[in-house]
């Protein structure tokens, strides 16, 4: 690869006038793999920072303390830009923890290629393998970075073998780390030893003879891998015939294969010493595709009609997407935006379209948090982020990524387009939040602030779903996991000054009668003047599941006057809503009114309502009341190795396994029916059980009688 480089002035924001001079690169990998420190090392190598932990205009961009970095960056994607060989490189750092997969998918949407970061002291985890497969399905170009070469337990050979086993035989190294600890790289194509010191490349020389065997073996595999991807069909025959293939030919074929996503180079990198940073920048600028080479997302009109994809042209119609939204009570809302077509300029008026439900439907409380909307808004300030610093941008062309201030109505996933021709980009698919948490404001005065805070957090985070459960009257936050839930609560407290308490989640149960029973309701009060008098006799019998409620009038002789019979029914229905045993609604019963008494003066609508409720409660006391629980259809997708453990766990949750189906080469989907009360923490438990490689979906099936042992544990609500 070429060795020349141009660097940005420290603290200055690199700009691009042409989409061809832009590379949008997302860094993915598990938490603790070294993504953020690698971004810092690349900024140092490109001259954006003078040294690790540099300060730009009074703002510390990065901190070398890994724990603090993880704390600051684990909850969202971050953007940093640099310039190399007259190419602007946008580095998108994503969180590695599974709870923040929504931020990860936003980073993938904004990027045109991906860097998979694998630590030399760790194995390749299951979520990273799944993500590689996901990128493979859409043909995203990728490279593999083996980091932490200076770790005490670092083993480059083992890490390389693990990456090749996880990602396939087209994953081949371009360099071999040299010395111990790693202070240099050996280029396998150039057969040159590159030395590093203080984060910079300091020189080069021929490799030591002790590396000869390793170079020969790895170089042969690399050349064969490149030639297999070459468009020149004679190249392999010439190579096998003993011809020495010119290095420039190999590099050209390598770059083409990387750009089309059929060859995946491995680069060893040490962030603390800077080893490999220049080599990585060369791959990014020379091998990875520019935005015009990457297919745009699907485009639609506001009426839902498909439109032809627009070219990545700065002079074309505006088409951009909000990939991340942050808001602050003092700063306001800031939108991170990927521009796909056209050019954005400050103070321009754009059309903001949000149409989640048009593509994915509504789910629970999600429709309220992400209602479809169309607004015209004026662009505020344009900037390129670097840490907390926003560096002003005069304009932003197609292919680039920027931050926009004062888009007060824009949410994550919204489309920005021209007022004259509003368009909608199909939002990226978000995983369904499946961990519920019930909360209530700590103080009565926090109720209004809680509603505002949750609405703003939901606008930022499509993976947060807010439900106002009409049956349990609880506020339920549906999150991706415990860490995600913690971030939501922290945001409410720190940013919006709202204190909330987590409370026990109530599953909406039902009650029904286990057999026939009669009830006598007598409401008689005399306290001077008009009294209250009503007596009614009813018979209650259970109905088949799903039958609902029937009220039958069999009163004869006017024992209950005709005008008060609806009052009895109203009282029965009101008591059914309150419950008769554990405080849950009563369903699937027939109530027959067959007798009663009235007073010519003291009987009233209210009195017979009270009598109807009392009669139902007395009937309930005379027979068995059955608790009904919601049962969900559940589909669990896991690697084949975990199928047995998952099925055993489902059985322990009172689940019924209905069958299994193969998904791909090494995955299985397990179909089951499971009581909803047993799924409260399943998102956490499945992650532990399947080592982060499992996922599941759920949908309501029906209500079923709850077993006596489980029903005995249900407490009546206060």
């Amino acid at each position: 690869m070429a060795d020349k480089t141009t660097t940005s002035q420290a603290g200055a924001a690199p700009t691009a006038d042409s989409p061809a001079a832009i590379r949008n690169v997302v860094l993915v990998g598990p938490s603790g793999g070294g993504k953020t420190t690698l971004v810092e090392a690349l900024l140092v190598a490109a001259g954006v920072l003078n040294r690790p932990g540099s300060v730009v205009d009074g703002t510390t961009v990065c901190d070398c303390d890994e724990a603090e970095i993880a704390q600051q960056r684990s909850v969202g994607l971050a953007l940093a830009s640099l310039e190399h060989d007259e190419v602007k490189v946008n580095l998108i750092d994503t969180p590695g923890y599974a709870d923040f997969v929504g931020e990860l998918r936003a980073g993938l949407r904004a990027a045109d290629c991906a860097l998979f970061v694998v630590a030399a002291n760790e194995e390749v985890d299951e979520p990273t393998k799944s993500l590689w497969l996901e990128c493979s399905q859409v043909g995203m170009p990728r490279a593999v970075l083996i980091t932490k070469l200076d770790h005490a337990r670092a083993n480059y050979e083992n890490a390389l073998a693990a990456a090749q086993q996880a990602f396939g035989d087209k994953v081949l190294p371009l360099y071999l780390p040299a010395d111990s600890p790693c202070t240099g790289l050996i280029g396998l194509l150039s057969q040159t030893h590159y030395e590093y010191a203080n984060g910079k490349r300091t020189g080069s020389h021929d490799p030591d003879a002790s590396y000869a065997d390793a170079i020969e073996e790895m170089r042969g595999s690399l050349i064969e891998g490149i030639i297999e991807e070459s468009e020149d069909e004679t190249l392999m025959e010439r190579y096998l015939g003993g011809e020495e293939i010119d290095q420039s030919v190999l590099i050209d074929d390598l770059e083409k294969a990387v750009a089309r996503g059929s060859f995946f180079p491995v680069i060893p990198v040490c962030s603390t010493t800077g080893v490999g940073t220049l080599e990585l920048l060369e791959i990014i600028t020379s091998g990875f595709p520019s935005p015009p080479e990457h297919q745009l997302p699907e485009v639609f009109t506001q009426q839902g009609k498909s439109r032809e994809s627009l070219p990545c042209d700065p002079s074309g119609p505006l088409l951009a997407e909000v990939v991340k939204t942050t808001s602050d009570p003092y700063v306001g809302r800031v939108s991170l935006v990927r521009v796909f077509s056209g050019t954005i300029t400050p103070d321009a008026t754009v059309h903001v379209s949000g149409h989640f439900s048009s593509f994915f439907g509504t789910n629970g409380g999600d429709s309220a948090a992400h209602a479809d909307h169309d607004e015209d808004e004026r662009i505020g300030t344009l900037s390129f982020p670097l840490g907390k610093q926003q560096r002003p941008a005069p304009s932003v062309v197609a292919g680039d990524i920027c931050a926009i201030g004062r888009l007060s109505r824009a949410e994550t996933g919204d489309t920005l387009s021209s007022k004259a021709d509003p368009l909608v980009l199909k939002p990226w698919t978000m995983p369904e939040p499946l961990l519920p948490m019930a909360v209530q404001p700590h103080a009565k005065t926090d109720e209004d602030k809680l509603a505002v805070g949750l609405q703003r957090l939901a606008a930022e985070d499509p993976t947060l779903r807010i439900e106002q459960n009409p049956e349990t009257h609880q506020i339920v936050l549906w999150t991706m996991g415990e860490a995600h839930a913690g971030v939501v609560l922290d945001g409410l407290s720190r940013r919006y000054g709202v204190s909330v308490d987590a409370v026990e989640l109530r599953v909406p149960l039902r009650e029904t009668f286990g057999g026939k029973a009669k009830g006598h309701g007598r409401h008689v009060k005399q306290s001077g003047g008009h009294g209250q008098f009503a007596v009614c006799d009813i018979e209650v019998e259970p109905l088949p599941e799903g039958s609902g409620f029937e009220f039958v009038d069999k009163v004869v002789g006017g024992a209950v006057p005709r005008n008060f019979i609806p009052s009895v029914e109203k009282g029965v229905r009101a008591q059914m809503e309150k419950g008769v045993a554990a405080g849950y609604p009563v369903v699937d019963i027939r109530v027959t009114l067959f007798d009663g008494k009235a007073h010519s003066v003291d009987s009233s609508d209210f009195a017979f309502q009270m009598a109807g409720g009392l009669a139902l409660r007395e009937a309930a006391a005379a027979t068995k009341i059955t608790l009904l629980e919601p049962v969900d259809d559940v589909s669990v997708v896991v690697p084949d190795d975990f199928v047995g453990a998952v099925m055993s766990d489902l059985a322990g949750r009172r689940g019924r396994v209905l069958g299994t189906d193969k998904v791909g080469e090494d995955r299985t989907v397990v179909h089951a029916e499971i009581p909803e009360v047993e799924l409260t923490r399943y998102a956490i438990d499945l992650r532990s059980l399947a080592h982060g490689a499992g996922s599941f979906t759920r949908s309501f099936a029906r209500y079923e009688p709850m077993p006596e042992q489980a029903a005995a544990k249900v407490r009546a609500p206060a």
Side-chain angles (χ1 to χ4, degrees):
M1 311 296 289
D3 290 346
K4 68 176 182 177
T5 180
T6 60
T7 58
S8 304
Q9 181 182 357
T15 59
D17 297 325
S18 168
I22 298 172
R23 302 292 184 272
N24 296 310
V25 186
V26 62
L27 287 83
V28 299
S31 181
K35 297 186 297 296
T36 302
T37 49
L38 175 58
V39 170
E40 177 184 287
L42 292 171
L43 294 172
V44 171
V48 177
L49 304 182
N50 293 322
R51 67 189 191 286
S54 286
V55 174
V56 177
D57 295 337
T59 300
T60 301
V61 178
C62 298
D63 191 320
C64 291
D65 185 301
E66 192 71 30
E68 187 172 347
I69 288 173
Q71 182 181 13
Q72 293 174 347
R73 296 296 183 86
S74 64
V75 298
L77 61 86
L79 176 69
S81 304
L82 58 86
E83 184 179 333
H84 180 82
D85 272 355
E86 301 179 354
V87 173
K88 181 183 180 182
V89 178
N90 290 320
L91 299 169
I92 306 166
D93 185 11
T94 63
Y97 197 65
D99 279 16
F100 307 110
V101 65
E103 298 276 357
L104 169 62
R105 291 184 182 274
L108 291 172
R109 178 64 163 242
D112 304 303
C113 42
L115 298 175
F116 276 71
V117 179
V118 176
N121 61 318
E122 300 287 348
E123 296 289 332
V124 180
D125 64 4
E126 291 295 336
T128 304
K129 295 177 185 178
S130 298
L131 182 59
W132 181 276
L133 179 61
E134 187 176 323
C135 290
S136 178
Q137 291 171 345
V138 297
M140 176 172 276
R142 285 148 280 160
V144 178
L145 312 182
I146 297 181
T147 61
K148 296 196 172 183
L149 298 173
D150 56 345
H151 193 278
R153 294 189 291 107
N155 189 313
Y156 176 75
E157 290 76 17
N158 288 351
L160 174 60
Q164 291 174 328
Q165 181 178 5
F167 304 144
D169 58 2
K170 295 300 182 182
V171 175
L172 292 169
L174 300 184
Y175 299 91
L176 176 67
D179 307 320
S180 182
C182 179
T183 58
L185 294 181
I186 297 174
L188 296 177
L189 290 181
S190 65
Q191 301 184 81
T192 301
H193 185 144
Y194 301 102
E195 293 181 335
Y196 276 79
N198 299 321
K200 301 287 185 179
R201 186 191 286 179
T202 58
S204 62
H205 56 80
D206 291 337
D208 188 89
S210 60
Y211 292 106
D213 291 343
I215 293 173
E216 181 179 2
E217 179 183 352
M218 298 178 75
R219 187 173 191 270
S221 298
L222 173 61
I223 292 175
E224 289 181 12
I226 294 172
I227 292 175
E228 286 177 358
E229 296 300 321
S230 174
E231 296 174 353
D232 185 349
E233 298 179 357
T234 69
L235 204 58
M236 179 63 77
E237 183 179 347
R238 288 156 50 196
Y239 174 70
L240 295 177
E243 180 180 336
E244 184 71 24
I245 307 299
D246 188 84
Q247 182 178 328
S248 62
V249 174
L250 293 172
I251 290 175
D252 184 59
D253 283 339
L254 167 66
E255 292 174 350
K256 290 178 180 177
V258 170
R260 65 173 175 263
S262 61
F263 185 93
F264 314 105
V266 179
I267 305 171
V269 182
C270 185
S271 300
T272 54
T273 63
V275 169
T277 53
L278 186 55
E279 288 75 13
L280 174 55
L281 289 174
E282 291 167 356
I283 283 288
I284 290 173
T285 55
S286 300
F288 280 159
S290 62
E293 300 172 81
H294 190 80
Q295 185 175 359
L296 267 67
E298 295 179 78
V299 184
F300 296 85
T301 65
Q302 285 183 295
Q303 292 73 35
K305 294 182 179 180
S306 180
R307 284 276 298 266
E308 291 185 5
S309 292
L310 300 175
C312 186
D313 182 359
S315 62
L318 178 63
L319 186 64
E321 185 172 41
V322 179
V323 294
K324 179 180 174 64
T325 310
T326 57
S327 60
D328 184 274
Y330 306 104
V331 178
R333 187 170 295 186
V334 177
S335 305
L336 192 66
V337 173
R338 163 71 191 263
V339 185
F340 290 104
S341 173
T343 299
I344 291 182
T345 56
D347 297 325
T349 301
V350 299
H351 187 80
V352 180
S353 299
H355 289 265
F356 276 97
S357 64
S358 299
F359 294 101
F360 305 123
T362 57
N363 193 338
D366 198 43
S367 59
H370 300 285
D372 286 355
H373 54 272
D374 290 284
E375 307 280 352
D376 289 338
E377 285 207 73
R378 190 175 182 182
I379 294 287
T381 56
L382 295 180
S383 59
F384 297 121
L386 182 66
K388 295 181 180 179
Q389 186 69 27
Q390 301 290 336
R391 301 171 291 175
S395 62
V396 181
V397 301
D400 212 346
I401 305 172
C402 68
I404 302 179
R406 300 206 310 266
L407 284 180
S408 60
R409 297 179 180 86
E411 301 180 3
T412 301
D414 281 3
T415 303
L416 308 183
S417 59
S418 166
K419 287 175 54 180
D421 185 20
L423 299 174
V424 180
L425 285 165
K426 182 178 180 179
W428 60 91
T429 303
M430 281 293 181
E432 182 71 14
L434 293 168
L435 180 67
M437 175 178 64
V439 298
Q440 64 184 23
H442 185 71
K444 196 77 173 175
T445 54
D446 286 333
E447 288 184 356
D448 291 339
K449 289 194 296 182
L450 175 60
V452 172
L454 286 176
Q455 183 180 28
R456 291 181 178 175
L457 289 175
E460 300 174 18
D461 183 2
T463 61
L464 171 64
R465 181 158 62 87
I466 302 164
E467 176 189 359
Q468 294 271 1
N469 193 296
E471 296 184 23
T472 64
H473 306 292
Q474 287 185 313
I475 300 173
V476 181
L477 308 182
W478 288 86
T479 64
M480 299 300 299
E482 288 181 304
H484 186 204
V487 167
V488 172
L489 297 184
D490 179 69
L492 287 172
S493 174
R494 180 171 47 83
R495 294 163 55 188
Y496 300 106
V498 183
S499 296
V500 299
D501 299 321
V503 296
E504 183 179 358
L505 180 72
R506 294 184 61 201
V507 174
L509 305 180
R510 299 283 189 270
E511 300 173 1
T512 194
F513 278 60
K516 284 187 178 182
K518 291 185 177 181
H520 177 72
R522 184 174 185 273
H523 181 73
V524 178
K525 287 187 178 182
Q526 190 69 45
S527 57
H530 283 301
Q532 298 179 34
F533 186 94
V535 177
C536 64
D537 293 287
I538 63 172
E539 182 180 64
V540 185
E541 57 186 312
L543 294 176
E545 178 191 345
S547 299
F549 170 64
E550 293 181 15
F551 185 82
V552 180
D553 170 21
K554 286 191 175 181
V555 175
V556 294
V560 177
R562 305 304 304 170
N563 58 312
F564 290 137
I565 290 177
S567 302
V568 176
E569 180 180 356
K570 189 174 182 180
V572 169
R573 286 182 179 273
Q575 188 62 52
M576 288 175 64
E577 286 296 315
K578 297 176 184 177
V580 293
Y584 296 99
V586 178
V587 296
D588 299 335
I589 59 171
R590 177 187 292 121
V591 173
T592 301
L593 175 64
F594 62 87
D595 201 1
K597 293 181 181 179
H599 189 278
S600 59
V601 176
D602 292 341
S603 289
S604 65
D605 169 68
F606 173 77
F608 272 100
Q609 285 187 47
M610 296 298 294
L614 291 171
L616 186 68
R617 286 160 58 184
E618 183 175 288
T623 188
K624 175 185 175 182
I625 299 299
T626 301
L627 280 181
L628 304 176
E629 61 180 345
V631 175
D632 283 1
D633 285 322
V634 177
S635 296
V636 187
V637 181
V638 290
D640 293 342
D641 293 343
F642 301 111
V643 171
V646 165
M647 293 176 69
S648 177
D649 178 73
L650 294 178
R653 297 173 185 272
R654 300 190 284 120
R656 291 187 294 272
V657 176
L658 304 179
T660 61
D661 292 315
K662 287 291 294 181
V663 179
E665 295 182 0
D666 60 350
R667 291 180 179 266
T668 297
V669 56
V670 180
H671 302 284
E673 293 179 341
I674 307 173
E676 191 174 302
V677 71
E678 301 287 347
L679 291 172
T680 301
R681 291 180 57 83
Y682 191 59
I684 299 171
D685 298 337
L686 177 62
R687 183 176 299 168
S688 174
L689 188 67
H691 299 181
S695 63
F696 75 102
T697 58
R698 57 188 286 184
S699 59
F700 173 76
R702 61 186 172 277
Y703 275 87
E704 289 186 355
M706 178 179 278
E708 286 298 325
Q709 187 175 2
K713 299 178 182 179
V714 176
R715 300 188 301 271

